[in-house]
Amino acid sequence: MSPVAENAAAPEQGSGGTRIDLTLLATSDLHAHLFPFNYYVDQRDDRTGLVQTAHVIDAARRTATNALLFDNGDLLQGAPLGDAAISDPILCDKTHPMIAALNALGVDAATLGNHDFDYGLEVLERVLGQVQHPVILANARYADGTALAPDHVVLERTLTDRAGQNHPFRIGVIGLAPPQTAKWHKLSLGDRLVWEDMVAATRRVLDGMDHTRVDAVVLLAHSGLGLHPAPPGAENAARALAALPGVDAVVSGHTHEVIPIVPVVDPTGAATPIVQPGALGTHLGKITLGFEMRTDMRDGSSVWQRVESCAETVPIPDAGAASDAALRGTLRRHPVFRAQLRTAHRRTRSYAARVLGRTEIPLTTYFALAAPSAALTLMAEAKLWAIGDQIADDPSLAGLPVAVAVAPFKAGGRGGADNYTDVPRGPLQLRHAADLYAYANTMAVLRVGGADVRAWLERTAAAFQTIDPSRRADTQDLLAPGFASYNFDVFYGLDYQFDLTQAALTNAEGDAVFDGPGRVRDLRLQDGTPLADDQDILVVTNSYRAGGGGHFPAAARGETVLQTTTPVRDALAAYIEAATSPLAPKPRRVWAFADLGGVPVTFASGPGSKDHAPKDLDHRFEDLGVAADGFRRWRMRI
């Protein structure tokens, strides 16, 4: 292992030829995607699912002399199967399907992600009782000081060197999750848990670890790359964690990125490898570490020193006959798991098919980042319907202007060309409500000053590239790479414009802040009155955003004046069920691009967008066809 002390002398070089290769395999952000099946559209989907990833895991284990398997959190929630597992009377009495899968695959250790707390602490505690492997979390514990989970585990394994000789080898594994989880789940968690900065927690565990018993240290960090050095309490800190002395490998997550995209080989072992396997089971993270037995010049002892590393992400097989054969082979190797899968799959389809109502128009997010969206209008109406009476009944709130913030959860980006909501005209089922609102965030109302509303919108404006109005001969891309569409909050109840000739005030991830005049222009209340910086308004949002989730410090500065235990998705489902006639939400223009005189830009959307170009804006959109990356390109003029 790498020396723990900053100034520790390196072990003597060339003192032996014994070499061990250790392969670390990792999943992350599976979000209850177990099967190669999309419950939102009720169709098979070979591009996602842990069952598909399991084939890649089996193949990697067959080729690796020594292998360990980890899961990096956000396992339980994010798809109808996760909801059914805690709501369906049959499934909730059984082992959670995702846990059953990890048990069957023989996971060596796992950590928790922020969304694993979405259903509440009692559900999480019950599910943890079903796990057959260590679950670790170093930076959260109960308020009385007792552990929610162990902060680390030492895995004692017998590893085989290149000469075929066996050696005892000890791997210390530390688990971490964003401390912002406390804010995002304030209502359900209360003050029952105390959270710690991830870097500080790792240092604490490393300092207390008996390093005479540990040959390598692996971090399971449910955290994006972030900055190095990381600010205190950072949500994304993988780079800073990898820089800590004594850490040999980091499994990252949370931001759903695929890192590295191509294999990164470090034959010197100087850099600590980081891998992040995307989300929903599309990739398997793989880090191979090479260790040689060296003599420690400090005391003459023999130690294992990391001398080489390779990080890569392995995609699951493409759809087709080979994929089908791989899937069948994986299930044959896990017969008990196969029987559990059949029940969970059948019950989830039944759960998701419950009819709530009807819609007279399609509800899509293909153009939600460029034009008014009926799907967003529906979500805004549902949120205001669910909490409007509580606002009106509170004398301290009744006179304040109200805005409703909603975002398109699935609108391309890192999720790919099929990452869009496309609900057809006709029956609205529970799966459609889950498609429109994927997470279990609860309702929240904030009192926010006008200056912070502007700052909030500036963060959403990072969705777009800076546009040069003098470039008219070539077309510029509109959307900023790396921006997550669930951070594009649209404020119903306000009117405003974005001036894209100005640079964004944050990067796409929101973890870097820049100076400048900003992009938000002509910010007004719905009656046309300019919104003053010192004027308070009420913003109906969700618990995640109210805690600053998505790097929205302006939202976190707001005063929470109302919060309910009702998940936004449940409010949406109730709104649909309460309707006495089929729904027909009208796309409402609440924001626009500042006029740049017709500068052409290219807007990327899903291939299915061809049939859903906004009818009142057809003259602005020209279909350029589907590109090699699977996205359909549209030319529009600003």
Side-chain angles (χ1 to χ4, degrees), residues 566-583:
T566 303
V568 177
R569 184 177 54 220
D570 289 0
L572 175 61
Y575 178 72
I576 296 170
E577 283 192 299
T580 57
S581 61
L583 297 169

Side-chain angles (χ1 to χ4, degrees), residues 100-443:
L102 295 191
N103 290 343
L105 291 173
V107 167
D108 290 276
T111 193
L112 299 172
N114 53 291
H115 283 293
D116 293 319
F117 293 84
D118 280 3
Y119 298 119
L121 204 51
E122 288 74 17
V123 171
L124 177 59
E125 290 168 338
R126 173 170 60 82
V127 170
L128 288 178
Q130 303 168 347
V131 176
Q132 297 175 4
H133 51 264
V135 177
I136 50 177
L137 187 62
N139 65 318
R141 58 183 50 247
Y142 291 107
D144 64 4
T146 58
L148 170 66
D151 54 20
H152 77 287
V153 65
V154 176
L155 303 175
E156 299 188 3
R157 298 291 187 266
T158 299
L159 304 188
T160 304
D161 66 21
R162 289 185 175 182
Q165 299 298 309
N166 293 332
H167 304 268
F169 200 92
R170 297 161 297 277
I171 306 98
V173 189
I174 303 172
L176 302 151
Q180 287 77 8
T181 304
K183 296 180 181 178
W184 301 335
H185 295 87
K186 176 67 175 176
L187 194 64
S188 61
L189 295 180
D191 297 322
R192 288 185 288 173
L193 296 180
V194 176
W195 291 79
E196 186 181 1
D197 172 82
M198 288 184 285
V199 175
T202 304
R203 284 199 179 104
R204 173 178 53 77
V205 177
L206 287 172
D207 288 345
M209 190 179 288
D210 182 357
H211 293 285
T212 63
R213 298 180 56 249
V214 176
D215 300 302
V217 171
V218 178
L219 303 187
L220 303 183
H222 190 82
S223 176
L225 290 180
L227 304 175
H228 176 54
E235 176 183 345
N236 297 309
R239 284 193 177 100
L241 292 167
L244 292 175
V247 175
D248 290 288
V250 176
V251 178
S252 179
H254 186 51
T255 55
H256 295 194
E257 295 175 277
V258 178
I259 301 169
I261 297 175
V262 296
V264 175
V265 180
D266 173 30
T268 69
T272 299
I274 302 174
V275 74
Q276 185 175 164
L280 315 185
T282 62
H283 292 74
L284 177 69
K286 182 179 179 182
I287 294 176
T288 303
L289 302 175
F291 295 90
E292 288 187 359
M293 183 66 78
R294 301 290 176 86
T295 300
D296 194 328
M297 297 177 63
R298 296 166 297 184
D299 58 12
S301 63
S302 296
V303 297
W304 291 106
Q305 182 187 12
R306 175 167 54 92
V307 295
E308 186 174 358
S309 66
C310 175
E312 59 183 308
T313 47
V314 185
I316 62 176
D318 292 332
S323 176
D324 287 347
L327 178 60
R328 289 193 296 271
T330 298
L331 293 176
R332 280 196 298 271
R333 284 188 291 274
H334 304 287
V336 176
F337 176 40
R338 182 180 183 180
Q340 292 172 318
L341 291 181
R342 187 180 299 111
T343 298
H345 179 54
R346 184 178 66 253
R347 298 297 301 184
T348 301
R349 288 189 70 188
S350 175
Y351 171 83
R354 181 166 69 89
V355 175
L356 304 173
R358 292 186 63 84
T359 176
E360 286 294 327
I361 62 171
L363 302 170
T364 78
T365 57
Y366 289 122
F367 293 90
L369 272 67
S373 165
L376 295 190
T377 298
L378 173 62
M379 286 193 282
E381 291 174 349
K383 289 173 76 171
L384 190 58
W385 172 84
I387 208 163
D389 287 346
Q390 293 183 55
I391 295 173
D393 291 342
D394 188 330
S396 67
L397 306 178
L400 292 173
V402 178
V404 184
V406 295
F409 281 92
K410 297 167 61 179
R414 292 191 294 261
D418 293 320
N419 183 41
Y420 293 87
T421 293
D422 188 348
V423 178
R425 179 179 180 272
L428 281 173
Q429 297 174 313
L430 187 59
R431 62 186 175 89
H432 296 135
D435 197 8
L436 287 161
Y437 204 100
Y439 297 107
N441 307 322
T442 57
M443 300 277 291

